[in-house]
Amino acid sequence: MQEKIDRLLEEIQFLTASSREGVEQLRLKYLSKKGLVPLLFEEFRSIPKEQKKVFGQQVNELKSKINRKLDELDASFEDNEEAESPDLDMTRPVDQIQIGSRHPLSIVRNQILGIFSRIGYTVAEGPEIESDWYNFSALNFPAEHPAKDMQDTYFIEKDPDMVLRTHTSSVQVRVMETTIPPIRKVFPGRVFRNEAISARAHCIFHQVEGLYVDVNVSFGDLKQSLFFFAREMFGEETKIRLRPSFFPFTEPSGELDISCNICEGNGCNICKYTGWVEILGCGMVDPQVLANCKIDPEKYTGFAFGMGIERIAMLKYQINDLRLFFENDIRFLKQFQGTC
Ligand code: DAH
């Protein structure tokens, strides 16, 4: 009996059928009244009592395995029924599969990170909900600074010390607090400001912040690094210009303009007929900020910069309305298919 069971178990593994009728034939062979399985049950009656338990289980198992196998075979014809239909023309061309594409902001963010990674920067990220310390105080914002006004910043209602970060400069502080220089990092992320939504402003946008701290870091290093970035991002011919500016956390501070890549400096409405467009803020990290983060300003110097990804993307792809990035209009997004 054992031999018969084993043989059947082996046999059913390889059962095939070319049609539903074929499956029916198999069902008759194994399970019909005179089929192989009922025959086994008959034999089972005459075996000694003490063997009944072992064989009983095995024959029942065999039966359910055969049932499952036949059901599987049967189901495979269900899937194929369509294919057998005489109306189906297998040579008909199919519609192209619609594949998604990366969002333009992701494309530009990856390009920015890629450029800086080629000159030794690694990537770090920080939280979007920040304490006053990381977003403002450690960065030298005085208590009465207008940026801290409710008009500009989203405060967390339950805890007045917590805000939605207004810039990715907050990640500078987190990294400096926990890293011994040299530090050479970029911080991409989403930031929030209480702004009315228009073609030029949104309450949510994206930035990439950069930070380089080491011994002997100079303003010349800052300028060359940003020059490299501008040319990689906007083309070999791109020129840069630094204008003095003010940020509480850098001294001196500057704003970087690039030569307008649309009119090539001849004047257009993107550059407001100046030939230059602003792309980022930057400067030498204020010694007080280094000290706030427990880095010795006597030993180390550093530079930092911060740019808006939307702004870079708008210049790169000549997009004139910031809201397009957030509306998820497929007609807009489709244009970036194939870019990565
Ligand atoms: N955090 C500034 C902003 O959001 C941008 C910025 C300016 C970042 C100067 C910097 C910097 O690191 O040095 O407008």
Side-chain angles (χ1 to χ4, degrees):
M1 178 135 191
Q2 185 68 57
E3 222 174 81
K4 281 186 193 161
I5 296 174
D6 289 344
R7 213 189 44 237
L8 282 176
L9 277 172
E10 170 96 19
E11 187 177 307
I12 60 161
Q13 286 183 54
F14 305 105
L15 287 186
T16 51
S18 51
S19 64
R20 281 197 144 154
E21 286 85 83
V23 182
E24 249 348 274
Q25 291 298 327
L26 290 171
R27 214 181 278 282
L28 288 174
K29 176 178 170 193
Y30 290 101
L31 303 171
S32 68
K33 259 195 188 152
K34 296 236 154 68
L36 293 173
V37 174
L39 275 179
L40 273 180
F41 275 112
E42 215 142 276
E43 214 172 297
F44 172 78
R45 276 200 221 141
S46 55
I47 60 169
K49 226 178 176 185
E50 60 285 4
Q51 291 181 13
K52 279 209 151 88
K53 192 172 172 203
V54 190
F55 284 120
Q57 266 177 5
Q58 289 196 43
V59 180
N60 275 325
E61 226 163 84
L62 174 68
K63 190 178 169 188
S64 37
K65 273 198 179 147
I66 294 177
N67 262 320
R68 241 179 289 144
K69 182 76 190 185
L70 296 179
D71 287 349
E72 260 170 41
L73 286 175
D74 214 26
S76 71
F77 294 111
E78 234 163 67
D79 294 347
N80 282 338
E81 241 158 37
E82 220 175 65
E84 283 168 10
S85 142
D87 307 336
L88 193 79
D89 177 4
M90 297 295 276
T91 62
R92 222 171 66 191
V94 290
D95 289 338
Q96 216 178 1
I97 298 169
Q98 292 286 321
I99 50 165
S101 55
R102 244 184 248 284
H103 192 281
L105 292 180
S106 302
I107 295 169
V108 172
R109 180 201 54 209
N110 292 349
Q111 283 172 348
I112 298 170
L113 300 183
I115 293 169
F116 283 105
S117 87
R118 295 206 282 282
I119 47 172
Y121 285 72
T122 53
V123 177
E125 286 177 313
E128 293 179 349
I129 301 176
E130 268 299 9
S131 67
D132 179 282
W133 170 254
Y134 290 107
N135 197 76
F136 294 125
S137 303
L139 291 165
N140 268 353
F141 282 77
E144 69 286 357
H145 195 281
K148 287 175 122 179
D149 197 313
M150 297 281 279
Q151 304 285 305
D152 294 314
T153 302
Y154 289 115
F155 287 85
I156 305 290
E157 216 170 57
K158 283 206 175 111
D159 183 351
D161 190 50
M162 300 300 284
V163 300
L164 295 186
R165 70 177 173 197
T166 59
H167 53 183
T168 41
S169 304
S170 55
V171 193
Q172 271 191 39
V173 182
R174 288 187 171 270
V175 168
M176 283 195 282
E177 270 184 356
T178 52
T179 320
I180 299 166
I183 301 168
R184 198 182 307 188
K185 284 188 183 291
V186 270
F187 318 122
R190 198 154 56 144
V191 300
F192 309 84
R193 284 186 204 171
N194 194 358
E195 301 248 15
I197 296 169
S198 71
R200 320 193 91 237
H202 208 289
C203 54
I204 300 175
F205 56 101
H206 300 80
Q207 291 187 329
V208 174
E209 181 89 9
L211 176 71
Y212 179 26
V213 182
D214 201 351
V215 287
N216 292 328
V217 175
S218 70
F219 199 87
D221 297 328
L222 167 64
K223 201 170 156 184
Q224 279 308 316
S225 306
L226 294 179
F227 188 32
F228 172 77
F229 166 71
R231 274 187 324 199
E232 290 289 299
M233 193 73 201
F234 295 102
E236 277 296 303
E237 301 305 313
T238 310
K239 293 182 203 49
I240 61 163
R241 160 175 106 166
L242 272 160
R243 281 177 294 104
S245 184
F246 174 80
F247 298 99
F249 40 93
T250 42
E251 182 57 39
S253 304
E255 271 166 331
L256 185 88
D257 297 341
I258 56 161
S259 49
C260 182
N261 67 331
I262 291 160
C263 63
E264 283 162 9
N266 296 323
C268 66
N269 58 359
I270 299 291
C271 63
K272 302 203 195 78
Y273 300 94
T274 63
W276 297 94
V277 281
E278 184 203 317
I279 60 161
L280 55 83
C282 59
M284 299 305 290
V285 181
D286 192 302
Q288 183 58 51
V289 174
L290 293 175
N292 290 345
C293 303
K294 312 269 177 315
I295 289 179
D296 183 0
E298 299 294 327
K299 187 168 170 196
Y300 294 107
T301 51
F303 66 70
F305 54 86
M307 64 187 93
I309 302 180
E310 281 80 356
R311 176 145 185 87
I312 308 276
M314 286 170 93
L315 288 171
K316 196 156 167 98
Y317 296 118
Q318 298 173 31
I319 296 164
N320 58 8
D321 192 326
L322 190 88
R323 290 169 291 198
L324 284 164
F325 291 122
F326 303 97
E327 282 166 358
N328 285 334
D329 184 329
I330 206 89
R331 292 166 302 177
F332 171 70
L333 297 174
K334 247 184 169 170
Q335 299 175 78
F336 301 91
Q337 228 155 31
T339 331
C340 27

Coordinates of all heavy atoms in Angstrom, one line a residue, residues 296-325:
D296 N 35.5 75.3 17.3 CA 36.4 76.4 17.7 C 36.7 77.4 16.5 O 37.3 77.0 15.6 CB 37.8 75.8 18.2 CG 38.8 76.9 18.6 OD1 38.4 78.1 18.6 OD2 39.9 76.5 19.0
P297 N 36.2 78.7 16.7 CA 36.3 79.6 15.5 C 37.7 80.1 15.4 O 38.1 80.7 14.3 CB 35.3 80.7 15.9 CG 35.0 80.6 17.3 CD 35.4 79.2 17.8
E298 N 38.6 79.9 16.4 CA 40.0 80.2 16.2 C 40.7 79.3 15.3 O 41.7 79.6 14.6 CB 40.7 80.2 17.6 CG 40.1 81.2 18.6 CD 40.3 82.6 18.2 OE1 41.4 82.9 17.6 OE2 39.5 83.5 18.5
K299 N 40.2 78.1 15.3 CA 40.9 77.0 14.5 C 40.2 76.8 13.1 O 40.9 76.5 12.2 CB 40.8 75.7 15.3 CG 41.5 74.5 14.8 CD 41.6 73.4 15.8 CE 42.2 72.2 15.1 NZ 42.0 70.9 15.9
Y300 N 38.9 76.9 13.1 CA 38.2 76.6 11.9 C 37.5 77.8 11.3 O 37.0 78.7 12.0 CB 37.2 75.5 12.2 CG 37.7 74.2 12.6 CD1 37.6 73.7 13.9 CD2 38.4 73.3 11.7 CE1 38.2 72.5 14.3 CE2 38.9 72.1 12.1 CZ 38.8 71.7 13.4 OH 39.3 70.5 13.8
T301 N 37.4 77.7 9.9 CA 36.5 78.7 9.2 C 35.6 77.8 8.3 O 35.9 76.7 8.0 CB 37.3 79.7 8.4 OG1 38.3 79.0 7.6 CG2 38.0 80.7 9.3
G302 N 34.6 78.5 7.7 CA 33.7 77.7 6.8 C 32.9 78.6 6.0 O 32.8 79.8 6.2
F303 N 32.3 78.0 4.9 CA 31.4 78.8 4.2 C 30.1 78.0 4.0 O 30.1 76.8 4.2 CB 31.9 79.2 2.8 CG 32.2 78.1 1.8 CD1 31.2 77.3 1.2 CD2 33.5 77.8 1.4 CE1 31.5 76.4 0.3 CE2 33.8 76.9 0.5 CZ 32.8 76.1 -0.1
A304 N 29.0 78.7 3.7 CA 27.7 78.1 3.6 C 27.0 78.7 2.4 O 27.3 79.9 2.0 CB 26.9 78.2 4.9
F305 N 26.0 78.0 1.9 CA 25.2 78.6 0.8 C 23.8 77.9 0.8 O 23.7 76.8 1.3 CB 25.9 78.4 -0.6 CG 26.3 77.0 -0.9 CD1 25.4 76.2 -1.5 CD2 27.5 76.6 -0.6 CE1 25.7 74.9 -1.8 CE2 27.9 75.2 -0.9 CZ 27.0 74.4 -1.5
G306 N 22.8 78.6 0.3 CA 21.5 78.0 0.3 C 20.8 78.4 -1.0 O 20.8 79.6 -1.3
M307 N 20.2 77.4 -1.7 CA 19.4 77.8 -2.9 C 18.1 77.1 -2.9 O 17.8 76.1 -2.3 CB 20.2 77.4 -4.1 CG 20.4 75.9 -4.2 SD 21.6 75.4 -5.6 CE 23.1 75.4 -4.7
G308 N 17.1 77.8 -3.7 CA 15.8 77.2 -3.8 C 15.8 76.3 -5.1 O 16.2 76.8 -6.1
I309 N 15.3 75.1 -4.9 CA 15.3 74.2 -6.0 C 14.3 74.6 -7.1 O 14.6 74.6 -8.3 CB 15.0 72.7 -5.6 CG1 16.0 72.3 -4.5 CG2 15.0 71.8 -6.7 CD1 15.7 70.9 -4.0
E310 N 13.2 75.2 -6.7 CA 12.2 75.7 -7.6 C 12.8 76.7 -8.5 O 12.6 76.7 -9.7 CB 11.0 76.2 -6.9 CG 10.0 75.2 -6.4 CD 10.4 74.6 -5.0 OE1 11.5 74.9 -4.6 OE2 9.6 73.8 -4.5
R311 N 13.5 77.6 -7.9 CA 14.1 78.7 -8.7 C 15.1 78.2 -9.7 O 15.0 78.6 -10.9 CB 14.8 79.7 -7.7 CG 15.5 80.8 -8.4 CD 15.5 82.1 -7.6 NE 16.1 83.2 -8.4 CZ 15.4 83.9 -9.3 NH1 14.1 83.7 -9.5 NH2 16.0 84.8 -10.0
I312 N 15.9 77.3 -9.3 CA 16.9 76.7 -10.3 C 16.2 76.0 -11.4 O 16.5 76.1 -12.6 CB 17.8 75.7 -9.6 CG1 18.5 76.3 -8.3 CG2 18.9 75.1 -10.5 CD1 19.7 77.1 -8.5
A313 N 15.1 75.2 -11.0 CA 14.3 74.5 -12.0 C 13.6 75.4 -13.0 O 13.6 75.2 -14.2 CB 13.3 73.6 -11.4
M314 N 13.1 76.5 -12.5 CA 12.4 77.5 -13.3 C 13.4 78.1 -14.4 O 13.0 78.3 -15.5 CB 11.8 78.6 -12.5 CG 10.6 78.1 -11.7 SD 10.0 79.3 -10.5 CE 8.8 80.2 -11.5
L315 N 14.6 78.4 -13.9 CA 15.6 79.0 -14.8 C 16.0 77.9 -15.8 O 16.2 78.2 -17.0 CB 16.8 79.5 -14.0 CG 16.6 80.7 -13.2 CD1 17.8 81.0 -12.3 CD2 16.3 81.9 -14.1
K316 N 16.3 76.7 -15.3 CA 16.8 75.7 -16.2 C 15.8 75.3 -17.3 O 16.1 75.1 -18.4 CB 17.1 74.5 -15.4 CG 18.0 73.5 -16.1 CD 18.8 72.7 -15.2 CE 19.4 71.6 -16.1 NZ 20.7 71.8 -16.6
Y317 N 14.5 75.2 -16.9 CA 13.5 74.7 -17.9 C 12.6 75.8 -18.4 O 11.6 75.6 -19.0 CB 12.7 73.6 -17.3 CG 13.5 72.4 -16.9 CD1 13.6 71.9 -15.6 CD2 14.1 71.6 -17.9 CE1 14.3 70.8 -15.3 CE2 14.8 70.5 -17.6 CZ 15.0 70.1 -16.3 OH 15.7 69.0 -16.0
Q318 N 12.9 77.1 -18.0 CA 12.1 78.2 -18.4 C 10.6 78.1 -18.1 O 9.8 78.1 -18.9 CB 12.3 78.5 -19.9 CG 13.8 78.8 -20.2 CD 14.1 78.9 -21.6 OE1 13.3 79.3 -22.4 NE2 15.3 78.6 -22.0
I319 N 10.4 77.8 -16.8 CA 9.1 77.7 -16.3 C 8.7 79.0 -15.6 O 9.5 79.5 -14.8 CB 9.0 76.5 -15.3 CG1 9.3 75.2 -16.0 CG2 7.7 76.4 -14.6 CD1 9.7 74.0 -15.0
N320 N 7.5 79.5 -16.0 CA 7.3 80.9 -15.4 C 6.3 80.9 -14.3 O 5.9 82.0 -13.8 CB 6.8 81.8 -16.6 CG 5.6 81.2 -17.3 OD1 5.0 80.3 -16.8 ND2 5.2 81.8 -18.4
D321 N 5.8 79.8 -13.9 CA 4.8 79.8 -12.7 C 5.1 78.7 -11.8 O 5.0 77.5 -12.1 CB 3.4 79.6 -13.3 CG 2.3 79.9 -12.2 OD1 2.6 79.7 -11.0 OD2 1.3 80.5 -12.6
L322 N 5.5 79.1 -10.6 CA 5.9 78.1 -9.5 C 4.8 77.1 -9.1 O 5.1 76.0 -8.8 CB 6.3 79.0 -8.3 CG 6.9 78.4 -7.1 CD1 8.4 78.4 -7.3 CD2 6.6 79.2 -5.8
R323 N 3.6 77.5 -9.3 CA 2.5 76.7 -8.9 C 2.4 75.4 -9.7 O 1.9 74.4 -9.3 CB 1.2 77.4 -9.0 CG 1.0 78.5 -8.0 CD -0.1 79.4 -8.2 NE 0.1 80.2 -9.4 CZ -0.5 81.4 -9.7 NH1 -1.5 81.8 -8.9 NH2 -0.3 82.0 -10.8
L324 N 3.0 75.4 -10.9 CA 3.0 74.2 -11.8 C 3.6 73.0 -11.1 O 3.3 71.9 -11.3 CB 3.7 74.5 -13.1 CG 2.9 75.4 -14.1 CD1 3.8 75.9 -15.2 CD2 1.8 74.6 -14.7
F325 N 4.6 73.3 -10.3 CA 5.3 72.2 -9.6 C 4.4 71.4 -8.6 O 4.7 70.3 -8.3 CB 6.5 72.7 -8.8 CG 7.6 73.3 -9.7 CD1 8.1 74.6 -9.6 CD2 8.2 72.5 -10.6 CE1 9.1 75.1 -10.3 CE2 9.3 72.9 -11.4 CZ 9.7 74.2 -11.3

